[in-house]
């Protein structure tokens, strides 16, 4: 897998690192599991990304993260959830600032992120994908095209994601990378010609294809390879650094859910393949945080 490859890139800036240090010494402390159980309510963030975690028009939380989280938290005696919708790039800063107690966005578990937040063991695994203009007039079929081709095709990525780091690792010219905050911005960038494609996980791209008839997922997409290894990620729930008891309780409940609950059916319903489900057992959060994945 690629976590060793990407663990040395995309490091937080000095400013972000300084902010995290200040927050760590400012007296902020995550709510304990007992405190959350006493108040009967937990604040959980999503990044509004299908099929991982999002709110529908009625404000109902959907996606594999929220649905699995709700069952786990019910087992822990926490019945009320306050859902917080935020941009993906603000998930980790929000956890550091104690703006919410947990994130259910299926954030990829990576060493540099583990230095800032705690992760549960994997809830999902997933690969990469590519969204292009309908009929793919530029014939873009691989992330490497943005390195190897002599034309000036540009790729959009969501800010703060591991996909953004991946393009840096692949050696893509920064002038060819367009960053967006939200997924509709990526579709707009392709349609208006600011970008020729959008790179994200295969699950995200498949869901975005349904958002506009002007774009489509590239069916003949070639999985990116770095240092001879196929890219694959492992997504989990994230928590503030000092929320050990909450994370540990969620881990235990997640293990039970994966063994005896509706976890597999939930993933399948959202389009995860048998390979995605089986691979989620391959590593623990501890292994992924150490770069073993």
């Amino acid at each position: 897998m690629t976590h060793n490859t990407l663990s040395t890139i995309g490091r937080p800036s000095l400013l972000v690192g300084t902010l995290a240090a200040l927050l760590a010494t400012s007296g902020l402390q995550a709510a304990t599991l007992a405190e959350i159980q006493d108040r009967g309510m937990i604040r959980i963030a999503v990044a509004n990304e299908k099929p991982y975690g999002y709110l529908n028009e009625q404000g109902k939380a959907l996606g594999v993260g929220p649905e699995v989280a709700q069952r786990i938290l019910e087992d822990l005696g926490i019945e009320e959830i306050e859902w917080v919708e935020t941009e993906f790039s603000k998930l980790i800063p929000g956890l550091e600032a104690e703006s919410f107690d947990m994130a259910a966005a299926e954030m990829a578990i990576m060493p540099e992120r583990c230095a800032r937040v705690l992760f549960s063991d994997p809830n999902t695994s997933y690969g990469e994908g590519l969204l292009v203009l309908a009929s793919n007039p530029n014939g873009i079929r691989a992330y490497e095209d943005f390195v190897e081709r002599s034309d000036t095709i540009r790729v959009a990525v969501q800010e703060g994601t591991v996909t953004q780091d991946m393009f840096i690792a692949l050696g893509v010219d920064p002038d060819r990378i367009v960053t967006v905050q939200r997924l509709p911005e990526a579709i707009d960038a392709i349609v208006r010609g600011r970008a020729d494609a959008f790179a994200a996980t295969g699950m995200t791209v498949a869901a975005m294809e349904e958002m506009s008839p002007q774009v489509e997922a590239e069916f003949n997409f070639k999985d990116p390879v770095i240092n001879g290894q196929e890219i694959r990620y492992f997504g989990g729930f994230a928590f503030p650094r000092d929320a050990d008891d909450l994370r540990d309780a969620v881990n235990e409940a997640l293990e039970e859910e994966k063994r005896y609950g509706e976890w597999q059916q939930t993933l399948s319903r959202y389009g995860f393949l048998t390979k995605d489900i089986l691979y989620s057992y391959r590593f623990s959060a501890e292994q992924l945080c150490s770069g073993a994945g």
Side-chain angles (χ1 to χ4, degrees):
M1 297 308 156
T2 62
H3 295 273
N4 286 335
T5 303
L6 298 180
S7 63
T8 58
I9 64 177
R11 298 285 184 182
S13 67
L14 178 60
L15 177 60
V16 173
T18 302
L19 175 60
L22 289 173
L23 289 171
T25 59
S26 63
L28 291 174
Q29 185 173 359
T32 65
L33 173 61
E35 289 170 342
I36 293 172
Q37 290 172 324
D38 286 344
R39 73 189 185 203
M41 185 273 290
I42 187 170
R43 301 161 299 168
I44 304 181
V46 295
N48 208 31
E49 186 177 9
K50 297 180 181 180
Y52 305 110
Y54 61 100
L55 304 183
N56 66 10
E57 293 180 356
Q58 291 73 43
K60 181 180 180 180
L62 298 171
V64 290
E67 290 198 23
V68 173
Q70 288 178 76
R71 292 197 294 270
I72 286 174
L73 293 167
E74 286 178 4
D75 291 342
L76 297 178
I78 304 167
E79 298 183 356
E80 182 181 348
I81 299 175
E82 178 184 317
W83 295 102
V84 181
E85 183 181 356
T86 188
E87 295 167 356
F88 188 91
S89 61
K90 295 180 180 178
L91 288 171
I92 288 180
L95 289 167
E96 290 176 323
E98 314 292 359
S99 298
F100 28 84
D101 305 298
M102 176 177 169
E106 293 309 301
M107 191 186 308
I109 306 168
M110 303 181 70
E112 61 269 26
R113 290 177 174 171
C114 297
R116 301 176 64 184
V117 297
L118 297 180
F119 280 99
S120 71
D121 287 328
N123 183 43
T124 56
S125 78
Y126 44 85
E128 286 292 310
L130 196 64
L131 190 75
V132 296
L133 202 62
S135 78
N136 195 4
N138 291 307
I140 305 170
R141 294 185 172 83
Y143 289 178
E144 287 83 355
D145 285 351
F146 298 95
V147 180
E148 298 168 357
R149 284 175 44 164
S150 59
D151 53 7
T152 57
I153 54 173
R154 290 170 295 177
V155 60
V157 295
Q158 192 172 18
E159 185 175 358
T161 61
V162 292
T163 305
Q164 182 179 13
D165 293 339
M166 188 190 314
F167 278 94
I168 297 172
L170 287 169
V172 176
D173 187 332
D175 290 339
R176 287 194 176 207
I177 302 174
V178 177
T179 57
V180 299
Q181 290 290 342
R182 297 180 178 273
L183 301 183
E185 295 177 39
I187 294 176
D188 184 71
I190 294 173
V191 172
R192 294 179 181 273
R194 291 197 302 115
D196 300 287
F198 174 65
T201 67
M203 303 299 300
T204 296
V205 166
M208 291 175 70
E209 185 179 40
E210 301 177 3
M211 296 169 63
S212 170
Q214 294 178 281
V215 295
E216 65 183 29
E218 170 49 40
F219 181 75
N220 294 313
F221 174 73
K222 298 179 181 178
D223 290 321
V225 174
I226 296 179
N227 289 348
Q229 299 184 41
E230 177 188 354
I231 298 294
R232 176 158 287 270
Y233 302 114
F234 301 84
F237 302 111
F239 311 84
R241 283 287 298 171
D242 54 349
D244 302 75
D245 59 342
L246 175 60
R247 188 276 309 274
D248 293 346
V250 166
N251 258 350
E252 291 182 12
L254 175 60
E255 183 179 357
E256 290 294 304
E257 170 68 15
K258 291 174 78 169
R259 285 186 178 182
Y260 308 113
E262 299 178 15
W263 170 79
Q264 183 170 335
Q265 294 92 318
T266 299
L267 266 64
S268 296
R269 178 159 42 85
Y270 278 104
F272 285 81
L273 305 176
T274 300
K275 178 180 179 180
D276 301 324
I277 293 169
L278 292 176
Y279 266 56
S280 73
Y281 291 98
R282 192 166 188 179
F283 299 106
S284 66
E286 183 178 1
Q287 290 173 310
L288 293 167
C289 286
S290 69

